[in-house]
């Protein structure tokens, strides 16, 4: 969050009398001169059902498809329709009663233009069940195909619709393609330097990086930052010459660009000019539109309109189908018009900043912070690292409820700033890694911290994490991985198993040392360290003889375990 936004980008809502003005953040009054008031816009809690329901969902496995895509031995499901059939007692999107006593598979048919694309049997409660098909039955085009999926089960019919984007080869004027692997939510891209190479999963990690005050002052910064593998310049880009020099240096250093249009994303003239000038860049990874539109109560359709415009300029149909790059935005509020703002994104980031601020009493505005009043710099927070995991889990759960869990992904924004307004201190480097890893363990597929320049401690720990990612991302981003998240004594773990190896990523949210046994993690006792390779250490070690992992206060470690 830009400090200036807190003080300048405020929303003015007329009171009933129309005379005094109230200022809001996340729809809440926060000036001591105004009264608490219910902000509205809460995500609806789904009704429950006494009998089990099943929701049919379908999505293309990789989006968009291109003419060269085909299934092969190394990825037999790359070209397929993913069928999800969650069984639930919640009235989530598309849920319908299961005929009582029926345990058999569903018979699923996917049609496009009234013709069957693929069909097959899918078990109940399946996740990402792949039905492979051949692209030869479709022609590449700008407009996404409407896809209808139907299933029958003991006389009950379930149905779902979805879009299938199959774009032509890159037209001249567009410099790269970023696909989303909807089996994992991960981005797939060619190398950022434009020299060619295969599509590969990318785990973006880095900082929102100040432009005018930093990048534009020294064009050698990108090569120095290359160890972070990533960069996200923050506008305003007042000097186009300098912007192009920075982008050239990034390309040369093989750093991807997340192009930020905060401040202009609602101005279609400006967005059109920016997208048209940036889209030929081979290192363009994705677009970024709104920065905390929920904080400032931007119009509820603003993010969707912007995303549609961008996509229409980026080779897509502009009505929901994919273009050549996904669109992202960040939400700051815990629960304010989430569905409206998220509809205009393929990737939604959450920025839960809980270090160094008083989350129950606003030191800036002198009011309490509650669910209907106040701004403490962390909306509806409790002031512990769990605020981040709670926010991640809520965003993921809302995607699931809306039927968007396959088609949209969540990223995390670790707090990399402090000593200002609400936040009295910077996180330490170790705390920075805790913030980042809690996000990753709860499903974040990218991590972009606000902001660089930051403290030397954060920069150094952030780099340790970034340099370990090439060893971890083959697990985190694998479409073959099975995943489990567990928290034991406030140590938060993610475990990704691929074949006979498991990545164990653990982070201690306690301010004191904590020991976790291998048995608590469901790992076999080895009595030695032979099966473990440590790939990240910001304060955690394996004690093989004692069969436990030992975490320092706010320490983090990752190990690859051969089972
Ligand atoms: C997934 O597993 C299949 C079958 O074991 C293997 O051929 C393929 O290479 C694996 N893919 C990835 C991305 O690990
Ligand atoms: C459906 O699968 C989920 C995990 O994906 C599991 O938690 C749940 O218990 C399953 N429900 C039923 C009815 O089997
Ligand atoms: C897909 O369906 C929508 C809604 O029915 C319709 O407006 C749109 O024109 C269709 N798109 C194509 C490409 O057929
Ligand atoms: C814009 O940036 C270029 C490259 O750094 C510099 O030479 C030029 O003086 C800048 N223009 C302005 C108006 O600051
Ligand atoms: C929108 O952007 C254009 C091009 O940058 C600019 O000329 C115009 O003043 C902007 N409009 C508003 C309302 O800010
Ligand atoms: C937050 O501020 C209130 C009011 O000044 C105070 O009572 C409380 O102890 C503070 N909490 C923290 C965590 O500093
Ligand atoms: C905190 O901010 C103040 C005012 O901007 C500055 O004078 C001080 O040096 C900063 N302290 C640290 C530790 O960054």
């Amino acid at each position: 969050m830009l400090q200036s936004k807190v003080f300048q980008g405020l929303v003015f809502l007329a009171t009933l009398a129309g005379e005094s003005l109230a200022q809001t953040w996340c729809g809440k009054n926060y000036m001591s001169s105004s009264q608490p008031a219910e902000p509205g816009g809460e995500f609806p809690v789904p009704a429950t059902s006494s009998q089990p329901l099943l929701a049919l969902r379908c999505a293309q496995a990789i989006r968009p498809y291109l003419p060269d895509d085909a299934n092969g031995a190394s990825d037999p499901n790359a070209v397929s329709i993913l069928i999800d059939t969650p069984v639930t007692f919640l009235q989530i999107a598309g849920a319908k009663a299961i005929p009582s006593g029926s345990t058999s598979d569903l018979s699923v048919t996917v049609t496009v233009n009234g013709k069957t694309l693929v069909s097959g049997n899918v078990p109940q409660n399946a996740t990402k069940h792949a039905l492979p098909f051949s692209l030869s039955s479709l022609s590449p085009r700008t407009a996404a195909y409407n896809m209808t999926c139907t299933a029958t089960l003991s006389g009950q019919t379930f149905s779902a619709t979805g879009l299938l984007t199959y774009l032509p080869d890159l037209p001249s004027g567009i410099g790269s393609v970023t696909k989303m692997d909807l089996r994992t939510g991960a981005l797939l891209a060619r190398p950022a330097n434009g020299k060619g190479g295969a599509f590969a999963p990318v785990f973006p990690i880095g900082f929102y990086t100040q432009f005018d005050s930093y990048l534009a002052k020294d064009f050698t910064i990108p090569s120095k930052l290359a160890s972070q593998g990533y960069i996200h310049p923050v506008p305003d880009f007042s000097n186009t010459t300098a912007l192009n020099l920075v982008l050239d240096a990034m390309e040369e250093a093989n750093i991807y660009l997340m192009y930020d249009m905060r401040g202009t994303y609602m101005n279609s003239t400006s967005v059109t000019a920016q997208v048209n000038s940036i889209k030929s860049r081979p290192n363009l990874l994705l677009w970024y539109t709104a920065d905390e539109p929920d904080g400032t109560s931007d119009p509820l359709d603003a993010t969707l309109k912007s995303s549609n415009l961008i996509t229409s300029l980026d080779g897509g149909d502009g009505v929901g189908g994919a273009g050549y790059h996904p669109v992202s935005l960040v939400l700051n509020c815990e629960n304010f018009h989430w569905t409206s703002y998220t509809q205009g994104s393929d990737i939604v980031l959450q920025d839960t900043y809980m270090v160094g601020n008083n989350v129950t009493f606003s030191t800036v505005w002198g009011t309490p912070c509650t669910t209907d009043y106040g701004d403490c710099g962390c909306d509806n927070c409790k002031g512990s690292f769990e605020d981040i995991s709670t926010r991640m889990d809520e965003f993921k759960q809302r995607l699931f409820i809306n039927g968007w869990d396959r088609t949209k992904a969540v990223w995390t924004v670790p707090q990399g700033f402090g000593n200002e307004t609400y936040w009295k201190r910077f996180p330490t480097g170790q705390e920075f890694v805790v913030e980042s890893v809690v996000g990753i363990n709860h499903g974040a597929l990218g991590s972009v911290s606000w902001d660089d320049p930051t403290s030397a401690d954060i920069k150094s720990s952030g780099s340790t994490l970034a340099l370990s990612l090439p060893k971890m991302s083959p697990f985190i981003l694998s479409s073959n991985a099975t995943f489990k998240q567990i928290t034991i004594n406030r140590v938060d773990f993610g475990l990704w198993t691929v074949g006979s190896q498991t990545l164990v990523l653990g982070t201690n949210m306690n301010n004191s040392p904590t020991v976790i046994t291998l048995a608590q993690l469901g790992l076999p006792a080895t009595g030695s360290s032979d099966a473990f390779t440590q790939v990240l250490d910001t304060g955690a070690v394996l004690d093989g003889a004692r069969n436990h992992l030992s975490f320092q206060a706010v320490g983090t470690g990752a190990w690859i375990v051969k089972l």
Side-chain angles (χ1 to χ4, degrees), residues 461-497:
S461 297
S463 178
T464 301
L465 174 63
L467 291 171
S468 74
L469 266 174
K471 299 199 187 80
M472 299 199 286
S473 56
F475 293 83
I476 297 171
L477 304 182
S478 169
S479 55
N480 283 344
T482 54
F483 174 67
K484 187 165 75 166
Q485 190 285 321
I486 38 177
T487 305
I488 307 163
N489 298 341
R490 297 196 71 226
V491 185
D492 189 310
F493 288 95
L495 296 101
W496 290 261
T497 300

Side-chain angles (χ1 to χ4, degrees), residues 418-420 426:
N419 189 32
E420 62 161 83
F426 276 76

Side-chain angles (χ1 to χ4, degrees), residues 54-367:
L54 184 146
L56 179 71
R57 278 118 186 240
C58 54
Q60 65 193 104
I62 293 178
R63 182 183 67 202
Y65 284 124
L66 299 175
D68 283 346
D69 293 336
N71 290 326
S74 68
D75 195 349
N77 295 327
V79 178
S80 62
I81 302 299
L82 304 177
I83 307 294
D84 284 80
T85 59
V87 172
T88 170
F89 291 85
L90 296 176
Q91 299 279 1
I92 62 174
K96 275 176 131 180
I98 300 170
S100 69
S102 174
T103 56
S104 55
D105 286 0
L106 295 113
S107 162
V108 176
T109 301
V110 180
T111 61
V112 167
N113 286 340
K115 288 199 322 211
T116 298
L117 184 68
V118 62
S119 58
N121 287 345
V122 179
Q124 295 184 29
N125 211 22
T127 305
K128 308 183 237 187
H129 184 101
L131 297 178
F133 70 99
S134 166
L135 283 169
S136 61
S137 51
L138 301 170
S139 337
R141 64 180 206 195
T142 303
Y145 289 93
N146 282 325
M147 174 167 72
T148 304
C149 308
T150 53
T152 51
L153 178 65
S154 310
Q156 171 76 286
T157 304
F158 300 84
S159 67
T161 57
L163 293 173
L164 171 52
T165 308
Y166 178 25
L167 295 179
D169 285 322
L170 266 189
S172 67
I174 298 185
S176 65
V177 190
T178 302
K179 306 180 190 180
M180 279 178 81
D181 186 339
L182 303 186
R183 295 170 294 186
T184 58
L187 300 184
L188 304 173
R190 299 184 193 277
N193 58 20
K195 293 185 177 146
F199 283 97
V202 176
F203 192 109
I205 182 165
F207 292 86
Y208 293 83
T209 308
Q210 293 297 343
F211 186 78
D212 282 346
S213 63
Y214 182 54
L215 289 171
K217 297 259 190 280
D218 176 0
F219 301 119
T220 68
I221 291 170
S223 69
K224 291 177 187 143
L225 295 181
S227 65
Q228 294 172 12
Y230 183 68
I231 205 164
H232 176 145
V234 175
D236 289 341
F237 307 125
S238 52
N239 182 332
T240 310
T241 311
L243 176 62
N244 283 320
L245 288 169
V246 169
L247 298 185
D248 289 346
M250 287 171 60
E251 184 181 325
E252 212 162 285
N254 206 16
I255 294 177
Y256 291 110
L257 166 68
M258 179 172 183
Y259 185 75
D260 189 326
M261 289 177 275
R262 74 180 60 208
T264 50
Y265 85 98
M266 289 187 272
N267 179 335
S268 57
T269 310
S270 175
V271 166
T272 301
Q274 292 179 74
V275 169
N276 284 338
S277 80
I278 293 295
K279 67 187 182 186
S280 61
R281 292 262 164 201
N283 60 340
L284 174 64
L285 189 66
L286 75 168
W287 307 106
Y288 181 90
T289 58
D291 194 73
E292 307 180 341
D294 49 349
T296 44
S297 295
D298 290 359
L300 296 179
D301 60 356
T303 63
L304 181 61
K305 279 185 172 158
S306 186
S307 159
N308 282 345
L309 172 60
I310 291 166
T311 306
S312 73
L313 300 165
D314 188 27
D317 60 16
V319 291
Y324 288 103
H325 304 85
V327 178
S328 65
L329 54 84
V330 72
L331 297 184
N332 185 248
C333 306
E334 186 262 332
N335 194 358
F336 189 59
H337 294 291
W338 188 89
T339 293
S340 297
Y341 294 119
T342 301
Q343 66 179 334
S345 71
D346 301 301
I347 294 160
V348 59
L349 294 86
Q350 56 74 26
D351 58 354
T352 308
Y353 302 141
M354 37 55 65
V355 174
N357 47 341
N358 187 328
V359 299
T360 56
F361 188 85
S362 181
T363 51
V364 174
W365 305 103
T367 73

Side-chain angles (χ1 to χ4, degrees), residues 340-418:
S340 297
Y341 294 119
T342 301
Q343 66 179 334
S345 71
D346 301 301
I347 294 160
V348 59
L349 294 86
Q350 56 74 26
D351 58 354
T352 308
Y353 302 141
M354 37 55 65
V355 174
N357 47 341
N358 187 328
V359 299
T360 56
F361 188 85
S362 181
T363 51
V364 174
W365 305 103
T367 73
C369 290
T370 66
T371 52
D372 58 10
Y373 195 38
D375 180 2
C376 284
C378 196
D379 189 40
N380 296 342
C381 288
K382 298 201 164 98
S384 59
F385 291 116
E386 283 88 343
D387 289 326
I388 298 168
S389 46
T390 300
R391 191 73 57 92
M392 285 296 308
D393 292 349
E394 285 175 347
F395 277 29
K396 300 275 290 180
Q397 177 68 6
R398 290 173 193 165
L399 290 180
F400 172 67
I401 290 168
N402 285 353
W404 293 348
D405 49 335
R406 213 51 65 220
T407 52
K408 297 183 193 293
V410 187
W411 290 10
T412 195
V413 184
Q415 178 183 346
F417 66 95

